[in-house]
mmCIF file of all heavy atoms in Angstrom:
data_model
loop_
_atom_site.group_PDB
_atom_site.id
_atom_site.type_symbol
_atom_site.label_atom_id
_atom_site.label_comp_id
_atom_site.label_asym_id
_atom_site.label_seq_id
_atom_site.Cartn_x
_atom_site.Cartn_y
_atom_site.Cartn_z
ATOM 1 N N LEU A 60 -44.206 -12.833 -13.368
ATOM 2 C CA LEU A 60 -44.918 -14.215 -13.238
ATOM 3 C C LEU A 60 -44.624 -15.071 -14.366
ATOM 4 O O LEU A 60 -45.023 -16.253 -14.296
ATOM 5 C CB LEU A 60 -46.414 -13.874 -13.006
ATOM 6 C CG LEU A 60 -47.268 -13.228 -14.066
ATOM 7 C CD1 LEU A 60 -47.728 -14.175 -15.089
ATOM 8 C CD2 LEU A 60 -48.423 -12.518 -13.492
ATOM 9 N N ALA A 62 -41.732 -15.977 -15.600
ATOM 10 C CA ALA A 62 -40.543 -16.759 -15.525
ATOM 11 C C ALA A 62 -41.031 -18.228 -15.197
ATOM 12 O O ALA A 62 -41.948 -18.543 -14.689
ATOM 13 C CB ALA A 62 -39.752 -16.350 -14.334
ATOM 14 N N PRO A 63 -40.122 -19.198 -15.858
ATOM 15 C CA PRO A 63 -40.421 -20.685 -15.793
ATOM 16 C C PRO A 63 -40.617 -21.165 -14.351
ATOM 17 O O PRO A 63 -41.395 -22.193 -14.254
ATOM 18 C CB PRO A 63 -39.290 -21.262 -16.391
ATOM 19 C CG PRO A 63 -38.751 -20.297 -17.454
ATOM 20 C CD PRO A 63 -38.950 -18.971 -16.647
ATOM 21 N N ASP A 64 -39.971 -20.502 -13.395
ATOM 22 C CA ASP A 64 -40.044 -21.104 -11.974
ATOM 23 C C ASP A 64 -41.214 -20.522 -11.162
ATOM 24 O O ASP A 64 -41.346 -20.876 -9.948
ATOM 25 C CB ASP A 64 -38.835 -20.729 -11.277
ATOM 26 C CG ASP A 64 -38.408 -19.268 -11.077
ATOM 27 O OD1 ASP A 64 -38.884 -18.468 -11.948
ATOM 28 O OD2 ASP A 64 -37.909 -18.964 -10.054
ATOM 29 N N LYS A 65 -42.061 -19.664 -11.786
ATOM 30 C CA LYS A 65 -42.996 -19.017 -10.983
ATOM 31 C C LYS A 65 -44.420 -19.935 -11.075
ATOM 32 O O LYS A 65 -44.552 -20.605 -12.106
ATOM 33 C CB LYS A 65 -43.407 -17.615 -11.640
ATOM 34 C CG LYS A 65 -42.249 -16.629 -11.425
ATOM 35 C CD LYS A 65 -41.825 -16.604 -9.934
ATOM 36 C CE LYS A 65 -40.640 -15.451 -9.838
ATOM 37 N NZ LYS A 65 -39.434 -15.966 -10.274
ATOM 38 N N LEU A 66 -45.279 -19.552 -10.087
ATOM 39 C CA LEU A 66 -46.391 -20.493 -9.856
ATOM 40 C C LEU A 66 -47.453 -20.570 -11.033
ATOM 41 O O LEU A 66 -47.769 -21.736 -11.446
ATOM 42 C CB LEU A 66 -47.183 -20.158 -8.641
ATOM 43 C CG LEU A 66 -48.412 -20.832 -8.233
ATOM 44 C CD1 LEU A 66 -48.261 -22.316 -7.884
ATOM 45 C CD2 LEU A 66 -49.232 -20.049 -7.117
ATOM 46 N N VAL A 67 -47.792 -19.409 -11.504
ATOM 47 C CA VAL A 67 -48.857 -19.367 -12.561
ATOM 48 C C VAL A 67 -48.446 -19.994 -13.858
ATOM 49 O O VAL A 67 -47.397 -19.484 -14.371
ATOM 50 C CB VAL A 67 -49.436 -17.992 -12.631
ATOM 51 C CG1 VAL A 67 -50.440 -17.830 -13.787
ATOM 52 C CG2 VAL A 67 -50.078 -17.505 -11.323
ATOM 53 N N GLY A 68 -49.127 -20.900 -14.414
ATOM 54 C CA GLY A 68 -48.789 -21.457 -15.679
ATOM 55 C C GLY A 68 -49.327 -20.817 -16.902
ATOM 56 O O GLY A 68 -48.727 -20.818 -18.013
ATOM 57 N N GLN A 69 -50.348 -19.981 -16.754
ATOM 58 C CA GLN A 69 -51.126 -19.584 -18.019
ATOM 59 C C GLN A 69 -51.668 -18.104 -17.587
ATOM 60 O O GLN A 69 -51.888 -17.802 -16.534
ATOM 61 C CB GLN A 69 -52.227 -20.370 -18.406
ATOM 62 C CG GLN A 69 -51.687 -21.819 -18.920
ATOM 63 C CD GLN A 69 -52.779 -22.679 -19.502
ATOM 64 O OE1 GLN A 69 -53.911 -22.746 -18.923
ATOM 65 N NE2 GLN A 69 -52.615 -23.204 -20.609
ATOM 66 N N PHE A 100 -57.539 -16.355 -13.124
ATOM 67 C CA PHE A 100 -56.956 -17.299 -12.293
ATOM 68 C C PHE A 100 -57.755 -17.565 -11.020
ATOM 69 O O PHE A 100 -58.087 -16.676 -10.262
ATOM 70 C CB PHE A 100 -55.475 -16.948 -11.881
ATOM 71 C CG PHE A 100 -54.688 -17.860 -11.061
ATOM 72 C CD1 PHE A 100 -54.307 -19.075 -11.706
ATOM 73 C CD2 PHE A 100 -54.407 -17.552 -9.789
ATOM 74 C CE1 PHE A 100 -53.600 -19.986 -10.837
ATOM 75 C CE2 PHE A 100 -53.735 -18.485 -9.045
ATOM 76 C CZ PHE A 100 -53.308 -19.683 -9.559
ATOM 77 N N LYS A 252 -43.563 -23.611 -19.924
ATOM 78 C CA LYS A 252 -43.094 -22.275 -19.796
ATOM 79 C C LYS A 252 -41.636 -21.892 -20.190
ATOM 80 O O LYS A 252 -41.263 -20.972 -20.771
ATOM 81 C CB LYS A 252 -43.327 -21.741 -18.345
ATOM 82 C CG LYS A 252 -44.717 -21.510 -17.974
ATOM 83 C CD LYS A 252 -44.884 -21.052 -16.578
ATOM 84 C CE LYS A 252 -44.569 -19.574 -16.377
ATOM 85 N NZ LYS A 252 -44.819 -18.976 -15.026
#
Side-chain angles (χ1 to χ4, degrees):
L60 65 82
D64 64 328
K65 298 301 184 287
L66 173 66
V67 174
Q69 296 183 313
F100 181 69
K252 286 184 76 176

